[in-house]
Each structure stands twice: as structure tokens, then as C-alpha cells.
Amino acid sequence: MKKLVKNLLGIALLSMAIFTTSCSNDSSSSNDNTSSFVLVQNDLKGNINDGEVILQSGLTYKLTGKLIVNSGATLTIKEGAIIEATDPTEASPAIRYIAVAQGGQIFVEGTSTNPVVMTADTHNPGAWGGLVICGKAPINKGATASAEVSDLTYGGTIANDDSGSIEYLRIEYSGYAYNSEKEFNGLSLFGVGSNTTIDYVQLFDGSDDGIEFFGGTVTANHMVVLNTSTVTVGDDMFDWTEGWTGGGNYWYGKRTNGGNRGIEADNNSNNHLATPIANPTINNLTLISSGTSSGNEDQAFKLRVGTKANINNVVLAGWTKGFDVQHDETISYVEDGTLTVTNVLFNNVGTFASYKDTAGNSVTPSQEVYTTSASATGAGNGETLPTWAQGWTTGF
């Protein structure tokens, strides 16, 4: 009898162990999730409307459509997780992208040795959308507006809005284009607020801009953009518009192909004096060009339609032109010192700066937009990939 009981107990314990192991290895869901969203590892798409969804470390999730984090919901991505966008098919034609709506939050918890990667099955620029975040911080396009690539609302009056935290993230092969006027960037920040953390992000081989700020107050630190594809060359490395008043520290941008500008900086193309006026503060910046541009836009900076900025410690290398400054308002900010780029090291740059008024006439402002410094270090190591960008980035 004792032997029988012992055997039955052993079978019961073995069954429990098998059940527990089965549950722990079930990659379709996680017991840590507190959301009603049904997480399927090989079919990641849909609307997260409540609670928290967690993508686990070491797993690859197949993005098969749009994934929207709505107000009140949270998406957490653990270190080493990979999100891989599949190719659209006739049976599944939806564009693949991830978007965080106003009131939603994203937490990317990568590390320097184990970053989070958002990529695509097809390793070509434009293979999928990218990451879109919409916040409630001020913009100058209106009280609010609709994001061009997700139709989500963005903008508002909450300067310190918090859309979460992103640390050690690589976004690869993004930039899907609906048409020439509507295309994704690698990272699109629409009205994102200052309590949002953006730190250590690489944008690799996208087909449009690496990162673009549409208004907002967010600061983005330790940013890397690298464009190498000769098939689809990409547009600008960094871009801002619609009254962005945030900032950045340590940006490194390089292209070895025929893409466009290092930075395209606008205030508002429809109203150059729209407020808040774009006026970021950026320190420690390196921009490197191949020296050619398929769009004839081989400029390190294009500053136009009334942007201001305070930028310091800059290394520019290989560009046909350093600064292309356009429009009356922009030039007036150069002259009054509210648009200034100080301590610039030019290395193999053709024309340092040119200026054209709104009518398109070449003009000479009372002072240059830049000052020079032979000791400028840019993002940390001059033209060389900085130490802080090594180990977690790709393509170098």
C-alpha cells in the first residue's frame, strides 16, 4: 500500500512539473501580462487597450500588422527581445508598425550588451514602418493634429507629458512609404513631452529620416543614425519641425551612400512665425557624409522656415556644404544670435555656409551662423564612432 501511494505521489509530482514547464515555455503569452490583449509571439498585432503587455527577453516576436498602445495601456520590452516585421502578403496586407497613442506608454529596457531590436524579415530600407510615439506636448501646427503615418492625435498643452522610456534600442530597415508625401521615419516623435526618456537609440538603413521631431519638448540623447544601403539611400539623418523645443546630447550620424542632409530643421512651412518656435538645444554632434547626394542635398545642415537653435561642439566631415540657411526669419535669428552653431570643426567640407532670403536671393548676414574650433570633439571621438556607441549598434 505504501509503495502504491508513493508511486501515485511521484506521478502527480511529475505531472505538475510537466504542466509547469509547458506553461513557462508557452511563447504565446506571459503570466506577467496584466492586459486583456492576447499576446501571440508569431502574430503580434492589434490594439493594447489596458494593462501591461510584456515582451520577454531572448524571444523573437513576429510583427504581422500594426500594434497600437492606446491610452491607459503599457508596452514593456525586455532586454534582448527582437521584434521582426514580416512582409505584407495578399492575405495579410496591413503595414507593419508600432505606435503609442496619447496616454499610452512604452518602456524599452535594452542594455549596452543586450539591446532591444526592431527589424524586418527583409533587410532592405522601407521594409516596414517604424516606431511612432504621440504625446500631449505643445506643437505649432494647431492645438492638436493628426499624425501623418498613424492617424493618431498628437499635441496639446502638457509640456512634461510622459510617454515612457526607451533605452538601448535599434530600429532597422524602417521607412515604409505609402507615397512620396506619406512615409514613416525610423523613430517619429509627435508632440512628445519632456518626461519621456529617449536614450541610446540607433536608426539603421531606413528609407526616410532616421528620427524626426514633430513639435514637443522631449530630449533625445546618445542617438546614432547610419545609412549604408545603395538600393534605397534614405533622406535626412535628423529632422525637426512644428515647434520642437526639446534638445539632445551626443548625436552621431553617418552615411556612406547618396542620401540627403545631416539635419533638416524647420519651424513651420505654412507660417514661419508660428509658436512655439522650434528652438532645440543640442550638444556634441558629429555628422559625416559620403560627399555625394542623389537628391543634390549634400548639406550637413538645412536651416529654414524660421527655426531657431542653440548647437555646440560639432564635427562636420565630407559634406559639399556645411550650412544651407534659408528664409528671412531664419536669417534674422542668425543675426540676433538665437540661431547659432558654435565650436564647429570642418573637415573636407566644400562651402562652409550659404544664405538665401525668402525670395531666393543670396544674402550676406551680419554674422555667420557658426563659429569654429579646432578642438571640437563632436559626439565624443570626432569622426570615429564614439565609445558610448560601441557594442550595441550595428553596421560599423
Side-chain angles (χ1 to χ4, degrees):
M1 182 67 178
K2 289 182 179 179
K3 185 175 181 181
L4 177 61
V5 170
K6 185 177 180 179
N7 288 341
L8 290 173
L9 180 60
I11 292 170
L13 289 173
L14 179 60
S15 298
M16 290 178 63
I18 293 171
F19 177 77
T20 302
T21 302
S22 174
C23 287
S24 64
N25 289 336
D26 182 1
S27 60
S28 294
S29 62
S30 168
N31 291 331
D32 297 329
N33 293 335
T34 61
S35 174
S36 61
F37 179 82
V38 178
L39 175 59
V40 180
Q41 183 180 342
N42 290 321
D43 190 19
L44 181 62
K45 64 182 178 183
N47 287 275
I48 304 174
N49 295 319
D50 56 75
E52 181 183 24
V53 170
I54 301 175
L55 304 188
Q56 298 293 343
S57 178
L59 295 181
T60 297
Y61 295 84
K62 293 290 189 177
L63 184 67
T64 56
K66 62 181 180 181
L67 180 67
I68 310 296
V69 185
N70 287 308
S71 181
T74 298
L75 173 64
T76 298
I77 309 175
K78 297 294 187 179
E79 64 178 87
I82 298 173
I83 299 174
E84 199 167 59
T86 60
D87 295 332
T89 64
E90 185 175 345
S92 177
I95 305 308
R96 282 74 163 133
Y97 66 91
I98 300 171
V100 180
Q102 288 184 323
Q105 289 189 309
I106 184 170
F107 293 91
V108 175
E109 299 177 350
T111 69
S112 60
T113 57
N114 206 13
V116 170
V117 179
M118 297 180 180
T119 187
D121 280 345
T122 298
H123 289 186
N124 289 323
W128 71 295
L131 177 59
V132 177
I133 302 177
C134 296
K136 300 179 181 179
I139 60 174
N140 67 22
K141 192 175 181 180
T144 61
S146 179
E148 63 182 12
V149 290
S150 66
D151 296 324
L152 295 173
T153 299
Y154 69 100
T157 59
I158 305 175
N160 65 347
D161 190 36
D162 184 355
S163 295
S165 175
I166 294 175
E167 294 184 302
Y168 289 104
L169 169 66
R170 284 206 320 260
I171 300 176
E172 305 171 349
Y173 311 113
S174 60
Y176 177 86
Y178 293 97
N179 53 56
S180 61
E181 301 298 323
K182 183 178 179 179
E183 51 193 325
F184 287 87
N185 306 296
L187 177 59
S188 301
L189 302 174
F190 289 89
V192 175
S194 60
N195 277 356
T196 306
T197 297
I198 307 289
D199 206 1
Y200 297 99
V201 178
Q202 182 190 14
L203 299 312
F204 176 68
D205 268 354
S207 65
D208 195 34
D209 302 329
I211 177 172
E212 184 164 5
F213 303 85
F214 297 83
T217 55
V218 68
T219 291
N221 298 324
H222 300 102
M223 305 297 295
V224 178
V225 179
L226 176 63
N227 289 333
T228 66
S229 173
T230 57
V231 177
T232 304
V233 297
D235 193 7
D236 311 310
M237 299 178 192
F238 304 93
D239 197 331
W240 69 75
T241 186
E242 296 182 15
W244 177 50
T245 58
N249 294 288
Y250 297 101
W251 288 7
Y252 184 86
K254 181 177 182 178
R255 63 171 176 81
T256 60
N257 59 16
N260 286 327
R261 299 155 286 261
I263 290 178
E264 181 181 89
D266 298 349
N267 180 46
N268 185 304
S269 58
N270 294 318
N271 178 2
H272 298 183
L273 296 174
T275 58
I277 292 175
N279 190 17
T281 298
I282 301 169
N283 294 296
N284 310 312
L285 169 67
T286 294
L287 298 173
I288 302 169
S289 170
S290 65
T292 61
S293 171
S294 59
N296 296 317
E297 294 281 2
D298 190 40
Q299 306 136 356
F301 288 83
K302 173 165 277 190
L303 306 167
R304 62 185 186 182
V305 298
T307 189
K308 299 180 180 182
N310 183 356
I311 304 172
N312 182 57
N313 186 27
V314 178
V315 172
L316 304 180
W319 298 92
T320 302
K321 183 179 293 185
F323 296 90
D324 180 6
V325 185
Q326 299 180 1
H327 303 113
D328 296 345
E329 297 84 358
T330 322
I331 293 170
S332 74
Y333 299 146
V334 172
E335 294 181 325
D336 69 18
T338 55
L339 173 57
T340 180
V341 186
T342 53
N343 297 307
V344 180
L345 175 62
F346 294 96
N347 187 4
N348 192 28
V349 174
T351 301
F352 285 5
S354 67
Y355 305 86
K356 287 187 177 181
D357 61 19
T358 302
N361 301 311
S362 295
V363 296
T364 302
S366 59
Q367 62 179 358
E368 296 282 5
V369 69
Y370 65 88
T371 65
T372 61
S373 171
S375 60
T377 57
N381 292 343
E383 294 181 47
T384 304
L385 184 70
T387 302
W388 57 261
Q390 297 175 17
W392 60 276
T393 56
T394 190
F396 293 99

